[in-house]
Every structure is written in C-alpha cells, then in structure tokens.
Amino acid sequence: MNDVQALLVSTGNWHMDKTAKAFASRSALAGLWLADKNSSGVPAEKYRRCWPFHLAVKPFYELTPNHWERAFYAFVPIWGRWVRSQPLPDCNVVQAIMGLGTEIFDRAEKVGALKVMDCPNSHPTTSHGYWQRECDIWCPGQKIMVPRKMFARMNQELQRADVVLVASTFCKETMISNGIPEEKIVVNPYGADTSVFRRREALPQAPRFISVGGAITLRKGFQYLFRAFQLVKQALPNAELICVGGYKHDFRRERPKWEGTFTHYERISHPELAKLLQSSTAFVLPSQEEGFARVLAEALAAGLPIVATHESGATTLVTDGVEGFIVQGQSPSRIAAAMIKLGTDRELNQRMGEAAFRRGAVRNTWQDYGDRLLAEYERRMATRS
C-alpha cells in the first residue's frame, strides 16, 4: 500500500488526525495540514499548522460559542490563501474535507494527484434542506449557520473530485440523488479506538440511555429524543437519559422545556465517554441529518444496542433488529418504543449488544479504516494509469 502518498487537508480535525495516523503507520502519509494542533501523533515534519486561520477564529470560539461558526466560514479565504502559499510535498493523493478543498484541488490538478472529497455530511443540498426544515418547525425564523456561498463551494468541489468519500449509505444515497456519479463514491464507515472504547461487562440494573451528538441541536433530533424520553419515563420511572454536547443557538426555544429532565455533560474526554457507554443500556441518536456519527462506531465497540435513524448513518453498520433498532427520527413514539423494549427485555439487550460489539469493534479500528482507504486509492490510481 505504500505506493500511495496522501496529503490530508482540513481546518479542524474531524477524523483527519485518525486517518493521518493510520496512513503514517503504512508509510503512506505525505502530509497533514490543519489549523488545529497536532494531536495525531504523526511526525512533526509531516505536519503543518495554519496559524493565521486558527488565530482569526479562536476569539470567536472562546467568546461566542453559539455563533463562532459564522466567523469560521467568514475566514475561509484566510485558509485558502495559506493553502496556496505552502510548499507542496510529493503526493499522488490529496484528501480534503468538503468545503475546504478548492485551493488544494487547484494544486492537485497541476501535479496529477487523485482529488478526494472527504464528506463529513450528506450532500450540501440535502444537508441544507433537512436542517432548515427542522429550524422552520421548531425555531421559526432561524437560518442555519452555514452560508449559502459555502454550499455553492461544496457543490463545485464535489463536481471536481475524482473520489467522493462518504461514511454512510445514507450519504451515498444523497450524493446520487443530487447528481454525483455512483462510480465516484466510496463508502467507508468510521472506525473506533478499541483501546479506549471497550465492551461493557454488565447491563445496568436501571435503564440508562445515552445520546452523544457533538451538540444539542435541531439537526441532531434532540427535540424528538426529549419527547420520546417523556414517554419512556411513563413506562420506566427509574430510567435515566444522559446527553453529551453543548447547546446550539437553534435549540434556544426548546432548551427551557427540557433542562433538568436529563443528565447533561457539555464536554467530556474520550476515556470519560467510554466509561459512560460501558455503564449504559443503549445508545440513542435520532439525528435528522448526519454523515456518520463517529460515536455510533464507539457505542458499537462498547457493545451497546443502537436506537438511531437511517439519516444518522447508522444503517451502514446497524441492521434493524440485529444490532439495535432503526427508527423514524420524527416519531417520538417509535423512538420511545425501541428504548422501552431495550430497557425491559434484558435478554434481547444482551443479544443485540453482542452483535453490536462484533460489528463495531472487530476489524473496524481506525487502522482498518485507513487500510480500506489505501486499498481503494491503490485501485483507483491503477485504473487511472
């Protein structure tokens, strides 16, 4: 696989740090360009940090946590200028996060490198529509944070890409329905750090459900989860719901209705999250639009049954009735029914948990994720030749 020399490019980590580490272990990493610090463990000589973008965005991130995304997108031109100014390492693959690839694609085309668009979300047209729909229902007048010019940029990059990398079957479907040729699309679900996220040893006595979406926002479907949990409490009064993530501005009208009805952690470390997963009954994520929630793979690796939507990306690894339940995201009654089933039928819960562990942890580490990508890049490059 070491014929591949990949340059990974993004402002934030997303999953690029994990990908870079996997590539580096196979001597296939040409470089990692980020605005975040180097937390991947890749050699320092392979890493370049975009300090101008980091320093421009940081005050907004610290002082206006609910609105910093607007600054992020406003400062993308700073990122673009920095990318154009950097010496290009020897590479035959350039992989960039969707919306952040325009400038590096310009350079990749000059050297004939394979252009890979790494898509953390569904097609931009789908993503915008689904998210705005939820805003219109639950927070009328709220516009999503991503400006339309960024969606235009994403669409242009998707058209230019040689490979469109997605992490779920849902994302693949949205790409095809919006005109992306199927032969360009590669589905590769995210891996899990199985040294941290380990299988639970026992099922808790009282039902304990956990939901981690990165943020409590309308796009993640927490407005439906909280209504579902109301129904769960009627059947299981001792049930607990744990949610991890800070509130987003679009949830401001819903927030007062639900505060105090669940256990809330705004931010926790991966080891702390692993402990919570290992002590839970099931993982629940009724997301309305997602690429593939990384925590789904982590919950599977912990041996938790999953209650999630097709739009969360879960159906890439979860078969309804095997590793958990696939539910309609806008139906609190169906979400609640699945939660109650897993909270009362311990034998079913154990069986689904074992199936979840086999699906999420076995041959699905981040190294497995990287190796699948490298094999695909080798194949694509050979076909081009």
Side-chain angles (χ1 to χ4, degrees):
M1 290 184 186
N2 60 6
D3 288 342
V4 172
Q5 287 297 304
L7 172 63
L8 306 184
V9 178
S10 170
T11 53
N13 267 318
W14 272 279
H15 47 275
M16 284 296 204
D17 54 340
K18 305 289 193 300
T19 311
K21 187 175 182 179
F23 284 7
S25 73
R26 304 296 189 229
S27 300
L29 180 67
L32 173 63
W33 294 4
L34 296 177
D36 288 345
K37 64 182 179 181
N38 183 8
S39 60
S40 62
V42 303
E45 64 270 18
K46 298 284 187 179
Y47 171 76
R48 290 182 200 159
R49 187 173 188 182
C50 181
W51 281 104
F53 184 86
H54 171 77
L55 294 174
V57 173
K58 185 176 175 61
F60 295 90
Y61 181 80
E62 297 289 343
L63 301 174
T64 59
N66 286 324
H67 301 278
W68 73 271
E69 288 100 329
R70 296 189 189 280
F72 176 95
Y73 294 114
F75 292 137
V76 165
I78 294 176
W79 163 258
R81 287 194 293 271
W82 180 86
V83 169
R84 292 191 197 100
S85 72
Q86 298 304 299
L88 191 70
D90 290 335
C91 60
N92 49 24
V93 175
V94 167
Q95 180 176 331
I97 291 290
M98 182 168 60
L100 302 169
T102 298
E103 294 78 14
I104 199 63
F105 277 9
D106 290 342
R107 304 187 69 182
E109 287 170 352
K110 292 178 181 178
V111 298
L114 190 74
K115 303 187 298 295
V116 180
M117 188 90 281
D118 192 336
C119 305
N121 290 88
S122 61
H123 189 279
T125 300
T126 301
S127 176
H128 181 279
Y130 280 32
W131 192 355
Q132 189 61 58
R133 176 196 66 198
E134 296 304 314
C135 290
D136 292 344
I137 295 171
W138 301 103
C139 193
Q142 174 69 42
K143 300 299 181 183
I144 68 173
M145 293 288 189
V146 185
R148 290 308 297 258
K149 65 180 181 181
M150 279 302 298
F151 285 105
R153 181 178 162 109
M154 292 175 191
N155 272 302
Q156 292 163 7
E157 291 175 355
L158 286 168
Q159 292 299 318
R160 296 176 66 184
D162 301 307
V163 176
V164 174
L165 175 62
V166 298
S168 71
T169 52
F170 166 65
C171 279
K172 178 180 179 179
E173 292 165 3
T174 69
M175 294 294 171
I176 293 172
S177 67
N178 283 283
I180 303 300
E182 185 172 5
E183 60 269 19
K184 284 175 58 167
I185 304 169
V186 174
V187 179
N188 190 21
Y190 300 142
D193 185 347
T194 54
S195 68
V196 175
F197 296 96
R198 298 179 179 175
R199 178 165 42 179
R200 68 181 179 188
E201 296 180 357
L203 184 62
Q205 289 301 313
R208 192 185 206 201
F209 302 97
I210 183 168
S211 184
V212 183
I216 297 178
T217 175
L218 296 176
R219 183 172 66 86
K220 302 283 185 173
F222 281 92
Q223 63 275 28
Y224 303 110
L225 173 59
F226 293 149
R227 286 168 171 80
F229 189 59
Q230 273 188 322
L231 301 175
V232 171
K233 289 287 281 186
Q234 294 173 14
L236 304 171
N238 62 338
E240 179 186 10
L241 174 64
I242 299 172
C243 296
V244 180
Y247 288 100
K248 290 295 185 182
H249 192 60
D250 68 1
F251 211 78
R252 64 187 181 277
R253 296 192 182 186
E254 286 290 296
R255 178 176 178 174
K257 303 174 187 176
W258 309 111
E259 283 191 317
T261 65
F262 62 95
T263 303
H264 182 214
Y265 297 90
E266 185 167 349
R267 189 180 294 114
I268 59 175
S269 67
H270 276 180
E272 291 170 327
L273 174 59
K275 289 180 180 178
L276 286 177
L277 291 173
Q278 290 163 359
S279 62
S280 295
T281 300
F283 179 83
V284 189
L285 186 63
S287 187
Q288 300 300 295
E289 186 279 327
E290 196 86 46
F292 177 86
R294 270 176 50 176
V295 73
L296 281 171
E298 294 163 353
L300 287 166
L304 287 191
I306 305 297
V307 178
T309 58
H310 174 57
E311 293 81 5
S312 73
T315 48
T316 315
L317 294 178
V318 177
T319 300
D320 185 37
V322 180
E323 294 89 3
F325 295 110
I326 302 300
V327 294
Q328 182 181 342
Q330 293 179 303
S331 174
S333 62
R334 295 185 182 183
I335 299 168
M339 294 170 71
I340 292 168
K341 185 72 172 173
L342 289 169
T344 54
D345 191 335
R346 296 179 70 85
E347 182 180 345
L348 173 69
N349 192 301
Q350 293 279 21
R351 185 168 67 250
M352 285 187 165
E354 288 297 319
F357 173 77
R358 291 192 297 270
R359 196 76 171 95
V362 179
R363 294 188 299 278
N364 195 44
T365 65
W366 280 108
Q367 189 62 58
D368 294 322
Y369 172 86
D371 288 347
R372 292 192 295 261
L373 270 190
L374 291 177
E376 181 65 29
Y377 294 165
E378 289 273 12
R379 187 184 71 80
R380 299 265 174 165
M381 288 164 57
T383 302
R384 291 175 95 200
S385 298

